[in-house]
Amino acid sequence: MKLTTYTDFGLRALMYLATLPRGELTSVARVSALYDVSRNHMVKVINQLAREGYVEALRGKNGGIRLARAPRDINAGKVIRLLEHNLRGIDCGSPACPLVPACRLRDALAEAMEAFLQVMEGYTLADLVDNRKELMVIFSTLEADRRPGEPAA
Amino acid sequence: MKLTTYTDFGLRALMYLATLPRGELTSVARVSALYDVSRNHMVKVINQLAREGYVEALRGKNGGIRLARAPRDINAGKVIRLLEHNLRGIDCGSPACPLVPACRLRDALAEAMEAFLQVMEGYTLADLVDNRKELMVIFSTLEADRRPGEPAA
């Protein structure tokens, strides 16, 4: 049982943005490269995060993206509720399940999923990067490795 | 966030088996047809449930499958722990995530997933089919619809 890659990429992107010095801009291309994921996928989730006020996207030559709120004001559970399309734990529609009108499993899964989300709502983005220095070392090493001709960011 | 179809089919199969009169045999083909799922997929999960002692599979001409335990002795959460390959809520390996050595998100998700499983462990298969008569009507109607030339099972 996993989050969709969409939500997963969204959370990873927010964690990276939260490790940057306040106000510093980065780019979707850079975030995608760091995590070695498709830029197209990352663009979609970053766009949603921007629409919802979590990420600020500045256009133009000196544009880029950065967090629009402090990490302590971004709730991990709420981000999951926002990004994850199916929070029922099951897909009753493919194939269409005949139990739908009378399914107790669906009710049990909904209750269990709520417990999952409540635990996640106990965490803010600040909690997820409270080892910020350690994460910065990982990201810097990775950027240096991936761009051997350039100095590490 | 969803269970895999493998676990989903396993739970649906157990629910159907639990509605049958005690000891009555059915077949994988029939369970697959009822839920309109691939027989191959259903075979795999039923085989695992048989290996783990949840389902009894009798070979031969008069063979078939049935529950090997009473529904009250089958714990829904334990079945999910058994069938679900990834209970971490995230796939840190595809693509390989550089955060792995220092990831607080992974820890938070593990805690949240445990809360999910603990709720599911509060349910037995008997709880999931406590509306057995209602479910039997659904299954009978479905079998009658799918085999118009034959009497409903």
Side-chain angles (χ1 to χ4, degrees), chain A residues 127-139:
Chain A
D127 298 322
L128 300 183
V129 298
D130 68 358
N131 57 340
R132 183 168 170 263
K133 284 185 184 163
E134 199 181 349
L135 295 174
M136 285 172 78
V137 170
I138 292 176
F139 288 128

Side-chain angles (χ1 to χ4, degrees), chain B:
Chain B
M1 195 166 83
K2 293 185 304 191
L3 298 169
T4 58
T5 51
Y6 183 82
T7 305
D8 181 355
F9 294 172
L11 290 168
R12 293 190 204 193
L14 290 174
M15 288 172 76
Y16 174 63
L17 296 180
T19 64
L20 296 177
R22 194 174 175 128
E24 185 172 305
L25 291 161
T26 186
S27 67
V28 175
R30 197 158 177 179
V31 180
S32 311
L34 272 172
Y35 288 115
D36 196 20
V37 304
S38 144
R39 193 174 171 285
N40 277 348
H41 268 99
M42 194 58 96
V43 162
K44 284 178 196 158
V45 68
I46 296 280
N47 280 347
Q48 184 177 353
L49 289 168
R51 280 197 307 276
E52 304 284 352
Y54 288 100
V55 166
E56 189 179 11
L58 291 134
R59 295 184 181 276
K61 192 179 157 193
N62 298 311
I65 57 170
R66 62 189 172 198
L67 284 188
R69 306 181 197 176
R72 68 174 176 278
D73 297 328
I74 297 182
N75 183 290
K78 290 198 194 322
V79 170
I80 292 174
R81 283 191 200 267
L82 188 74
L83 300 183
E84 193 71 10
H85 298 136
N86 177 342
L87 280 170
R88 295 183 300 281
I90 205 161
D91 186 349
C92 308
S94 67
C97 182
L99 296 182
V100 166
C103 188
R104 299 274 197 264
L105 173 61
R106 193 179 42 174
D107 300 338
L109 286 170
E111 183 193 336
M113 193 62 74
E114 196 53 38
F116 173 93
L117 290 164
Q118 281 178 18
V119 170
M120 291 310 297
E121 282 177 352
Y123 291 93
T124 71
L125 184 57
D127 298 322
L128 299 183
V129 299
D130 69 357
N131 56 340
R132 182 167 171 263
K133 285 185 183 164
E134 198 183 348
L135 296 174
M136 284 174 76
V137 170
I138 291 175
F139 288 128
S140 302
T141 309
L142 204 65
E143 292 197 322
D145 285 351
R146 296 217 168 134
R147 300 183 306 175
E150 298 172 37

